[in-house]
Amino acid sequence: AQSVTQLGSHVSVSEGALVLLRCNYSSSVPPYLFWYVQYPNQGLQLLLKYTSAATLVKGINGFEAEFKKSETSFHLTKPSAHMSDAAEYFCAVSLLSGNKLVFGAGTILRVKS
Amino acid sequence: DGGITQSPKYLFRKEGQNVTLSCEQNLNHDAMYWYRQDPGQGLRLIYYSQIVNDFQKGDIAEGYSVSREKKESFPLTVTSAQKNPTAFYLCASRPDRNTGELFFGEGSRLTVL
């Protein structure tokens, strides 16, 4: 069965600092991987996705993620945090032939001024 | 504009009452999903439907029911059998399994008093 682990339920960074949100997946076959962002009392918005093309994936708002098969990881990064990045972030995995996405528990990002 | 509309945004009900949450999409997507979100637990799949007049249970279907009579609509009923119904409910749709990503509505927050 596929699963997702997000390390750190809360991450705090200073404005302008590097953002690193960690995601590890468990899957017996190559998966699709996703990062979503959620602002309070809103739905989820897709940041980026990996679908077996380039291993370094660029998304919206300056975020990117790198698929590392050997480490079963798909960590999300942004070189310089902005106050507007404060939100909850979810990593998700889906099999190539799968009907559904499995989500991690989420990481709340706080950006300090 | 195309999208997913959930209503109501906020709903208060007394214990023991059934409630129905609406989800409508005009994206012409075949697949639709219902997730439940609780703090620190990520998103958990309640039900999903790949095609009209067909749906499958997700991981936490007990106490919930759905119907899929039209491609555009996938309402969720939270029955009195659901032991802890207070939560944030998210509806999503998916264009096809080859891309994998889900498109989300804005969510409905149900509070049972």
Side-chain angles (χ1 to χ4, degrees):
Chain A
Q2 49 190 319
S3 66
V4 176
T5 301
Q6 291 185 239
L7 297 175
S9 59
H10 291 78
V11 169
S12 183
V13 301
S14 297
E15 193 173 18
L18 171 72
V19 175
L20 171 60
L21 304 182
R22 300 178 187 273
C23 173
N24 288 88
Y25 68 91
S26 170
S27 174
S28 58
V29 296
Y32 288 152
L33 292 159
F34 309 84
W35 276 101
Y36 283 86
V37 62
Q38 184 184 35
Y39 298 97
N41 289 313
Q42 294 187 24
L44 275 67
Q45 178 185 7
L46 182 69
L47 277 177
L48 49 81
K49 63 181 179 182
Y50 167 76
T51 56
S52 74
T55 57
L56 182 62
V57 181
K58 294 188 182 299
I60 62 172
N61 301 338
F63 284 94
E64 63 182 37
E66 186 172 8
F67 172 68
K68 292 187 177 180
K69 184 178 179 180
S70 61
E71 299 176 9
T72 61
S73 69
F74 190 56
H75 301 331
L76 181 71
T77 60
K78 182 175 181 178
S80 177
H82 191 272
M83 296 298 289
S84 62
D85 295 327
E88 189 163 15
Y89 293 79
F90 292 94
C91 182
V93 62
S94 172
L95 294 181
L96 294 176
S97 59
N99 295 327
K100 52 190 177 179
L101 268 63
V102 175
F103 286 83
T107 298
I108 295 173
L109 176 65
R110 178 186 171 214
V111 181
K112 299 176 290 185
S113 59
Chain B
D1 286 0
I4 300 174
T5 302
Q6 290 187 240
S7 62
K9 178 69 174 176
Y10 298 95
L11 185 60
F12 296 87
R13 280 295 182 267
K14 292 183 179 179
E15 199 171 325
Q17 290 182 328
N18 291 357
V19 299
T20 297
L21 307 180
S22 171
C23 178
E24 303 278 333
Q25 56 104 353
N26 59 5
L27 299 169
N28 199 34
H29 291 172
D30 287 321
M32 296 187 73
Y33 301 78
W34 274 105
Y35 285 88
R36 170 180 171 141
Q37 184 178 15
D38 297 281
Q41 296 191 48
L43 277 69
R44 294 181 290 167
L45 183 63
I46 304 173
Y47 269 98
Y48 64 103
S49 169
Q50 301 279 91
I51 198 169
V52 174
N53 292 323
D54 187 43
F55 48 83
Q56 288 78 42
K57 293 182 179 180
D59 301 316
I60 57 165
E62 185 176 351
Y64 300 97
S65 66
V66 294
S67 62
R68 188 83 188 278
E69 297 177 1
K70 299 186 300 181
K71 187 175 185 177
E72 303 79 18
S73 179
F74 191 41
L76 173 74
T77 297
V78 184
T79 75
S80 56
Q82 168 50 233
K83 291 182 172 54
N84 185 19
T86 295
F88 191 54
Y89 292 88
L90 287 158
C91 179
S93 67
R94 193 181 199 185
D96 63 73
R97 64 176 63 182
N98 291 327
T99 59
E101 68 198 78
L102 295 179
F103 292 75
F104 283 86
E106 290 294 295
S108 293
R109 184 168 297 281
L110 172 63
T111 302
V112 175
L113 305 172

